[in-house]
Amino acid sequence: MLTIYLVNEHDEIQLNYSDLSEDLAHKISSSTKSVIKFVSTAETDLTTFDFGKDDIVCLGFGHHFDLNYVQHTMPQLVKMLKTRNTQIVLVTELRYFHENETYFDKSADELAIHQLAYDQRLKVLDLYSYFNAWYQQLSASKRSEKLERVKNASDLYQIKKSILKQLLSCYLTSWFSRKFFVRTKIKVRGYGASLYPEVWDKLTNQTDMAEMHKIGMNTVRIGEFFWDKLEPQEDHYNMEYLVNLLSQLKEHGLQVILGIPSPTPPRWFTLHYPESKIVNLRGETEEHGSRQHVCTNNLNYRRKAYQLARKIAQVANQFDNIIATQIARTN
């Protein structure tokens, strides 16, 4: 029996953990029996708790974080749990929403959690990013439908409990099955190359695609640099470019690893938001034209990159030859 423990000071969400366990069992169709439980640190001393070997312990499931908990308590718990041979997951905070905030940034708590996970090579159950994406796509009328005011906080909103439980059930069962139970076997090996159709004419691209297919290639990687093709002017999108490109690749029997072109904002972005440019340690400002000249902490950059990623996702959902998405490009 493998147990998944969701840990926080108090059980504020109050899911039906028996139903959640059954949903996970149906999802994974595995011989490994699993059960999901909540553990309150206000009532239980984790240092003396009898965790089983290979149990999954998720630290921070719920609301009410503070930086001291993340920077001091969490590392101590991680250190202790590693001696028990448990599988450790760090959970980002299920934050409340403020009607005047956009949430394209991450709080100090979220950044500290991701840094701790990176340092300790741990998985992150990123509830904050998941529910932030859900919140961003809601219209004003849908927000009033699905949110309610937080008790004793007139300017804060939370997801209605019935909706939250439904969303969490789907997300948690999917996340745990992918991260711990399902091992997808590679049926077809990818063989191919990066393709940069944005710098070539239509005839050259058609010739390249035909030649790739002819020599046995089956996969291409595209997209990390063509933001200006998809949004030539601010808020004016040309997604037909991507639709046509993906259609042509499919016609030539080519699978696609689709990049999000966040490293190369267009010229109009730099002109509209000059404060977004990186200033290095010598006080020098990176100018437009270099790769990744924009500071990724800039909120205008985050907002525009998020909006573009949603547009790309809507197109990508129409094509079954997309086998993966590359969400960032690093040097």
Side-chain angles (χ1 to χ4, degrees), residues 26 56 69 129 169 193 206 211 226 265-266 304 314 318 325:
H26 290 308
I56 300 169
Y69 171 77
S129 293
S169 178
Q206 289 283 3
E211 187 64 22
F226 57 38
K304 292 305 301 178
Q314 289 167 2
Q318 304 170 32
T325 303

Side-chain angles (χ1 to χ4, degrees), residues 1-36:
M1 172 73 74
L2 184 149
T3 305
I4 300 171
Y5 294 100
L6 305 177
V7 179
N8 204 348
E9 186 175 5
H10 301 288
D11 186 7
E12 300 153 329
I13 302 173
Q14 297 178 347
L15 296 172
N16 186 318
Y17 297 105
S18 296
D19 288 350
L20 193 58
S21 299
E22 288 183 14
D23 291 343
L24 180 60
H26 290 308
K27 183 85 174 177
I28 61 178
S29 300
S30 171
S31 57
T32 303
K33 291 184 178 180
S34 60
V35 62
I36 300 175

Side-chain angles (χ1 to χ4, degrees), residues 102-215:
T102 56
Y103 300 99
F104 290 107
D105 61 334
K106 285 187 181 294
S107 70
D109 299 349
E110 321 305 326
L111 293 173
I113 286 173
H114 283 281
Q115 186 62 53
L116 176 61
Y118 176 82
D119 293 340
Q120 298 292 331
R121 299 299 185 266
L122 303 175
K123 293 180 173 66
V124 177
L125 175 57
D126 197 352
L127 294 184
Y128 170 75
S129 293
Y130 172 71
F131 283 105
N132 180 39
W134 174 85
Y135 175 79
Q136 295 294 344
Q137 55 85 35
L138 292 177
S139 64
S141 60
K142 287 293 184 183
R143 287 181 183 179
S144 62
E145 223 177 88
K146 297 178 182 293
L147 303 178
E148 61 188 6
R149 290 189 184 275
V150 176
K151 189 177 180 181
N152 300 324
S154 60
D155 57 346
L156 293 178
Y157 292 83
Q158 63 186 356
I159 304 169
K160 290 181 178 178
K161 285 188 176 180
S162 59
I163 297 170
L164 177 61
K165 289 178 180 181
Q166 184 180 10
L167 290 170
L168 267 176
S169 178
C170 293
Y171 181 60
L172 290 176
T173 54
S174 176
W175 192 88
F176 283 119
S177 67
R178 285 185 290 109
K179 297 296 183 180
F180 292 99
F181 298 99
V182 177
R183 296 291 181 266
T184 303
K185 294 182 179 179
I186 298 174
K187 296 178 180 178
V188 178
R189 297 281 176 180
Y191 166 53
S194 295
L195 197 64
Y196 298 94
E198 64 271 21
V199 300
W200 301 105
D201 58 53
K202 185 175 181 180
L203 179 59
T204 301
N205 284 325
Q206 289 283 3
T207 303
D208 286 347
M209 293 177 195
E211 187 64 22
M212 293 177 80
H213 181 73
K214 180 181 176 181
I215 64 175

Side-chain angles (χ1 to χ4, degrees), residues 20-124:
L20 193 58
S21 299
E22 288 183 14
D23 291 343
L24 180 60
H26 290 308
K27 183 85 174 177
I28 61 178
S29 300
S30 171
S31 57
T32 303
K33 291 184 178 180
S34 60
V35 62
I36 300 175
K37 296 181 178 181
F38 183 87
V39 177
S40 167
T41 56
E43 302 171 1
T44 306
D45 182 0
L46 294 187
T47 61
T48 61
F49 192 83
D50 186 22
F51 293 109
K53 184 178 180 295
D54 295 328
D55 280 348
I56 300 169
V57 183
C58 305
L59 298 174
F61 182 76
H63 300 291
H64 304 308
F65 276 29
D66 61 69
L67 200 55
N68 182 65
Y69 171 77
V70 176
Q71 292 184 333
H72 300 287
T73 306
M74 261 192 177
Q76 293 171 6
L77 291 174
V78 167
K79 185 177 180 181
M80 179 272 295
L81 289 168
K82 282 192 168 184
T83 66
R84 307 285 188 86
N85 295 315
T86 60
Q87 303 182 79
I88 306 167
V89 174
L90 304 185
V91 189
T92 56
E93 184 179 13
L94 182 57
R95 285 169 63 181
Y96 297 127
F97 299 105
H98 191 291
E99 58 187 352
N100 295 324
E101 293 186 27
T102 56
Y103 300 99
F104 290 107
D105 61 334
K106 285 187 181 294
S107 70
D109 299 349
E110 321 305 326
L111 293 173
I113 286 173
H114 283 281
Q115 186 62 53
L116 176 61
Y118 176 82
D119 293 340
Q120 298 292 331
R121 299 299 185 266
L122 303 175
K123 293 180 173 66
V124 177

